[in-house]
Amino acid sequence: MSVEIVSDLMRDYIYRLASGGQRTDGRALDEPRKLVIEKGLITTAEGSARVHLGKTEVLVGVKMATGEPYPDTPNTGVLSTSVELIPMASPTFEAGPPRPDAIELARVVDRGIRESKMVNVGRLCITPKEKVWVMFIDIHVLDYDGNLFDAASYGAVAALASTVVPAKAQGVGEDFPLPVEHWPVSVTVAKIKDLLLVDPSLDEERMARARLTATTDENGDIRAMQKGLSGSFSYDEVKRVIETSQKVGRGIRPLLQS
Amino acid sequence: MEDIEHIPKELKLIDENGVRLDGRRFDELRPIRIEAGVLGRADGSAYVEWGGNKVLAAVYGPREAHPRHLQDPARALVQCRYNMAPFSVSDRKRPGPDRRSVEISKVISEAFSSVIFKEQFPRTSVDIFIEVLQADAGTRCAGLTAAAVAIADAGVPMKDLVTSCASGKIGGVVCLDLNKDEDNFGEADCPMAIVPRTGEIVLLQMDGHLTYDEFQKAMGLSIDAAKRIYDLQRDALRRRYSTTVDEILREAAAAPAPSPAPAEVAFDSQLDDLGREGSP
């Protein structure tokens, strides 16, 4: 996310390869890196998942707490998402309060989950207007090798899917799995000159002038989008990104569900 | 948008005849008024009224970037601070940046980064300040539209103005420019910003639920509306600077030895020079 220099030699190499439809790690332009998800590693959390997207590694924990609902949604549970870009994950991350990068990342992941209605928040009400379940999604980036948007989103979705609501401990009934109803998949595309690359690696991401994340559901409908970086997309490119997102999403969704 | 259940049953956002709560059709914008050069100290400024939105934008710079370690030896920084006044919404907003405004500030500065000729001003910063005085949904679009005019008013060279607009979905119908109620109770919102002359999309966000078809409809509405808003932006700049030309002509007429005033002032050529007018 922070600016680090990519040598001209590497830039030329990446672009030249990509112009011929290839990438430095052997992928096609519309091919994401290998995704490995392990659920339930953290027993102190109500749900958790560790995600490897290529060499990017993210650990997500879900903590469930009871709290007050928002006044305008008195009967629904609350979702809260935050990201920590801890200094161990990259030489470019610094300790301290979350910077705009981390805030944007958390909000885009949150948007995909919220707008897809992944979790039926209507079933997370304990006492209307007084007490509901609050889902705290905490995304810990452990190793940064590009495309945190998708890695964090997959981690959050997988962690939620593994979450058991600790109702018994709170004295409000029996424990139950979080009511998951939809499966949003975030797919991010980086634009390098005129080329669109799915799931950018670190070098690709640093070269990119623009980035577009589209989150689609199991029907291929769009639930969230976010354009980033200082470049631009033509409308045709935006449409291509969405079509790619739908296609790549279909391949990734089973991995999140399993 | 997270909770649909509590929508009052009688609240129908769009009726059988395709008329919305405020009487608009699906492809109609709210009334927009833009004024350039409204503040004294700022290098450039603009004020936008857009439906119930009242938004001020001010631009300082290019000026020395602070803190110094942020300086880029090759180009100017483009920094934006989007802020909502505590009284701009019905429940008082706690002053200062929250996560939403940090995100909006970030995407707006990125949008302008792609049009400002940053390489002409190394080590400097172009600081854009957007204050939402009264909010009625679509504040980032109104703010961005105002900021573009303010940047031009400051004389900061750029490729073109940036024009912003949102479309969304209410009651199953894709509509342009949602107001507060429509945004709260609607099904989707998709703000975008475009460089009108090149068609480059420099800001794009979406939340809610749109099929691919609906998304294309929404973008079509926004792109079309952006052309109309672009005209209003240019008109605001023209008004701002044509006053100055009038004054010059009046002064010339009042001078003791009047030189023949040009028969016609070519406003377009004046506009081309705008980029240099207030240049620091």
Side-chain angles (χ1 to χ4, degrees), chain B:
Chain B
M1 233 167 294
E2 49 252 56
D3 179 35
I4 307 291
E5 288 95 289
H6 74 284
I7 298 181
K9 283 273 182 302
E10 66 275 15
L11 184 67
K12 222 170 172 196
L13 293 170
I14 184 158
D15 70 13
E16 315 70 44
N17 306 318
V19 178
R20 295 151 73 174
L21 285 177
D22 56 7
R24 283 183 293 155
R25 303 249 153 212
F26 75 100
D27 59 349
E28 269 180 83
L29 284 165
R30 291 173 284 179
I32 300 175
R33 189 167 73 86
I34 307 178
E35 210 136 338
V38 292
L39 299 175
R41 288 302 300 275
D43 295 322
S45 60
Y47 174 69
V48 166
E49 279 186 10
W50 183 322
N53 291 307
K54 295 183 163 68
V55 181
L56 259 180
V59 170
Y60 285 84
R63 60 181 179 182
E64 191 177 8
H66 282 291
R68 281 211 160 159
H69 69 86
L70 287 179
Q71 290 184 358
D72 185 333
R75 57 188 72 79
L77 297 172
V78 178
Q79 305 190 94
C80 174
R81 181 181 189 268
Y82 163 100
N83 188 49
M84 289 183 101
F87 48 78
S88 64
V89 277
S90 46
D91 290 336
R92 178 175 184 268
K93 185 206 164 282
R94 243 164 50 104
D98 55 8
R99 292 161 65 86
R100 173 179 171 274
S101 43
V102 169
E103 185 200 341
I104 292 177
S105 301
K106 182 172 187 281
V107 292
I108 292 179
S109 40
E110 288 170 344
F112 284 114
S113 264
S114 59
V115 291
I116 292 174
F117 291 121
K118 296 179 291 186
E119 281 71 17
Q120 293 185 11
F121 306 98
R123 295 188 189 283
T124 66
S125 170
V126 176
D127 298 320
I128 304 162
F129 301 101
I130 295 170
E131 283 291 319
V132 178
L133 308 177
Q134 186 180 300
D136 181 30
T139 56
R140 79 194 66 184
C141 299
L144 212 148
T145 299
V149 175
I151 296 169
D153 183 43
V156 178
M158 55 177 166
K159 267 203 280 198
D160 191 8
L161 295 169
V162 176
T163 302
S164 181
C165 184
S167 291
K169 186 166 67 158
I170 52 171
V173 185
V174 174
C175 286
L176 182 67
D177 186 26
L178 307 191
N179 66 24
K180 191 89 218 153
D181 287 332
E182 294 173 333
D183 189 32
N184 283 346
F185 302 119
E187 295 107 81
D189 191 26
C190 180
M192 59 81 95
I194 192 167
V195 182
R197 232 193 311 231
T198 61
E200 291 164 276
I201 292 162
V202 292
L203 179 144
L204 180 60
Q205 298 180 292
M206 197 299 269
D207 63 57
H209 185 175
L210 291 177
T211 65
Y212 186 32
D213 258 10
E214 288 168 338
F215 168 77
Q216 294 182 61
K217 263 188 209 146
M219 283 298 283
L221 287 177
S222 293
I223 290 171
D224 200 48
K227 292 183 191 129
R228 286 173 266 159
I229 300 164
Y230 183 53
D231 286 341
L232 296 174
Q233 288 175 303
R234 300 208 315 165
D235 189 52
L237 286 163
R238 219 173 256 142
R239 270 183 283 122
R240 157 95 165 121
Y241 288 95
S242 61
T243 323
T244 319
V245 172
D246 282 347
E247 276 164 12
I248 293 168
L249 293 179
R250 219 176 300 130
E251 266 170 42
S259 55
E264 204 174 304
V265 178
F267 276 176
D268 277 341
S269 68
Q270 291 296 331
L271 250 194
D272 287 347
D273 285 331
L274 271 187
R276 308 285 165 201
E277 272 279 335
S279 190

Side-chain angles (χ1 to χ4, degrees), chain A residues 39 46-49 60-62 137 154-164 178:
Chain A
K39 288 180 188 171
E46 278 73 59
S48 61
V60 180
V62 174
I137 304 177
Y154 303 154
V157 168
L160 283 174
S162 77
T163 297
V164 174
L178 211 54

Side-chain angles (χ1 to χ4, degrees), chain A residues 59 75 85 143 215:
Chain A
L59 179 63
N75 304 318
L85 301 177
D143 210 350
T215 304

Side-chain angles (χ1 to χ4, degrees), chain A residues 29-69:
Chain A
L29 299 194
D30 60 352
E31 183 184 349
R33 289 172 289 181
K34 190 179 173 208
L35 173 65
V36 180
I37 299 174
E38 300 160 86
K39 288 180 188 171
L41 290 161
I42 308 293
T43 53
T44 48
E46 278 73 59
S48 61
R50 182 163 73 169
V51 165
H52 287 267
L53 184 59
K55 287 188 206 148
T56 290
E57 185 180 351
V58 172
L59 179 63
V60 180
V62 174
K63 291 294 289 176
M64 299 294 296
T66 57
E68 263 185 51

